[in-house]
Amino acid sequence: MSKSLALKRNQSSMQVLKTLLLLLQDNYTMSELVEQLNLNEKEPIFNNSVVSKYINTCRFCGIEILKIHNKYYVTKLPFGLNLTNKEKDLITLLQNNAKKCLSNKTRSIFENLICRLSRFSSKELIRVDKNALELTYSTFESAVKNNKKIRLMFRTKAIMDCTPLEIVEHKGKPCFKVLLKDRQRFIVIERVTGLEILGDTIEVDHSDRSVVFKIYNDLIMRYSARQEELVTTECYPEYITATNRGENKDVLLSRLLRYDSNCEIIHPKDYRNEMKAIIDETLANYGE
């Protein structure tokens, strides 16, 4: 092996370790990683292509790095802290008690501690948190709006490239409805660890899209499902969920507006935002 080739391989190894070290400190987008990595260099040597290669090298070594809403998360190191099952169960118990007993500010600090600990653990200590899950929802809806294909990543390390259709409730669980090889599939959102928007633009027919809304309080007992509307009661008596398909948007929003605070649109996001705008405009007319 020539001296120059050995030096080049050694430099690449150092750059992989620099990338990993940065990811162990926080979660970053690709552009943020490139910017941070180049800060300590005499001239820029990192770019999207090489950093992607270094991240994949880490994954090849067994380091679990998830991509959620374009940010990279280190979730497990195979050579990190070797926690026993009892120790992991104890941490889970602490997490559950923290949710019940600590203030929001203190709980946030505690979860950040667990998140940092999880990066160095041989076992996964955290699930995708609520904020990351909300970002995953937003990313999916953005792909639908812009007619883009998506890549779904799962804890089993499986990857699925598909066409996003809508977010629906299926068998009592929130799901991504997607098109895979000309067949519709319902993907339970809790199974998804990463979502990436791909560059391919697609033509999607949204004429058959669903609108999902929750019904609360005394309206639950009085509500009558419309034609082409499915009502699920898994969360009764807290609320029931209706999935409406095919009703004219203006007619539907006008009807749901009459239900006041007893009704909340969940998906799609543009329907939810339009309902908010209608309510704000109505309040403004009355000087509220």
Side-chain angles (χ1 to χ4, degrees):
M1 181 185 298
S2 67
K3 185 176 180 180
S4 60
L5 181 58
L7 180 61
K8 182 177 180 181
R9 289 188 176 180
N10 184 55
Q11 288 175 338
S12 296
S13 300
M14 288 299 298
Q15 289 166 356
V16 170
L17 292 176
K18 288 178 183 178
T19 303
L20 177 60
L21 179 61
L22 188 60
L23 285 171
L24 288 172
Q25 296 172 2
D26 207 343
N27 310 314
Y28 295 97
T29 64
M30 177 59 71
S31 59
E32 289 170 341
L33 280 171
V34 172
E35 180 181 359
Q36 290 294 320
L37 288 167
N38 280 323
L39 284 178
N40 298 320
E41 303 295 335
K42 293 181 179 179
E43 58 183 38
I45 59 174
F46 292 91
N47 56 49
N48 289 18
S49 177
V50 297
V51 173
S52 294
K53 182 173 66 175
Y54 298 153
I55 289 174
N56 287 331
T57 299
C58 292
R59 287 169 172 163
F60 180 79
C61 294
I63 301 168
E64 292 195 6
I65 302 176
L66 305 181
K67 185 178 182 182
I68 304 173
H69 196 63
N70 293 326
K71 281 197 171 186
Y72 292 89
Y73 294 69
V74 174
T75 59
K76 189 168 66 175
L77 289 172
F79 44 81
L81 296 171
N82 188 19
L83 297 176
T84 66
N85 289 332
K86 286 186 177 181
E87 289 170 334
K88 182 177 180 297
D89 291 341
L90 177 59
I91 291 174
T92 301
L93 178 63
L94 288 172
Q95 286 178 287
N96 292 335
N97 286 330
K99 291 178 182 178
K100 298 176 183 177
C101 304
L102 299 180
S103 66
N104 289 339
K105 182 178 180 179
T106 307
R107 187 168 65 245
S108 177
I109 295 172
F110 177 79
E111 285 301 323
N112 286 335
L113 170 63
I114 295 298
C115 183
R116 290 176 64 85
L117 180 61
S118 182
R119 289 188 175 101
F120 294 92
S121 170
S122 60
K123 292 184 172 64
E124 186 174 277
L125 304 178
I126 57 171
R127 296 175 62 86
V128 177
D129 62 25
K130 183 179 179 181
N131 291 332
L133 188 61
E134 288 297 324
L135 292 175
T136 304
Y137 275 78
S138 300
T139 304
F140 184 94
E141 290 174 333
S142 175
V144 173
K145 180 180 179 181
N146 296 299
N147 294 338
K148 296 289 186 179
K149 283 191 175 183
I150 59 171
R151 173 168 294 161
L152 298 177
M153 290 154 271
F154 302 87
R155 294 196 181 280
T156 59
K157 299 184 180 178
I159 293 177
M160 177 190 295
D161 290 352
C162 53
T163 299
L165 298 179
E166 57 185 329
I167 300 175
V168 299
E169 188 161 310
H170 181 66
K171 295 183 178 179
K173 293 184 177 181
C175 295
F176 290 142
K177 182 180 176 183
V178 302
L179 193 65
L180 180 67
K181 296 180 179 179
D182 297 325
R183 295 188 62 181
Q184 290 185 1
R185 293 189 59 180
F186 296 90
I187 309 298
V188 177
I189 295 175
E190 290 180 351
R191 293 178 51 216
V192 177
T193 59
L195 193 158
E196 179 182 0
I197 297 179
L198 302 178
D200 301 337
T201 302
I202 51 177
E203 294 296 330
V204 182
D205 181 9
H206 294 297
S207 61
D208 197 31
R209 77 191 305 194
S210 297
V211 181
V212 182
F213 53 92
K214 293 180 180 178
I215 298 168
Y216 301 94
N217 305 321
D218 59 337
L219 182 60
I220 293 176
M221 304 305 296
R222 297 186 287 107
Y223 189 78
S224 298
R226 273 39 176 189
Q227 186 178 9
E228 299 299 324
E229 194 169 85
L230 175 66
V231 174
T232 56
T233 59
E234 282 76 6
C235 295
Y236 178 84
E238 183 179 354
Y239 62 85
I240 61 175
T241 303
T243 302
N244 180 287
R245 185 183 299 276
E247 187 170 354
N248 177 271
K249 181 174 74 171
D250 293 335
V251 174
L252 175 62
L253 293 182
S254 178
R255 174 165 68 87
L256 299 186
L257 188 63
R258 297 199 302 269
Y259 299 146
D260 198 36
S261 60
N262 292 321
C263 176
E264 178 189 8
I265 296 177
I266 306 301
H267 302 291
K269 189 175 182 179
D270 57 316
Y271 274 57
R272 182 181 174 90
N273 290 339
E274 188 164 341
M275 177 64 87
K276 286 182 178 179
I278 292 172
I279 294 172
D280 289 343
E281 184 178 350
T282 302
L283 292 174
N285 290 337
Y286 285 89
E288 293 292 337

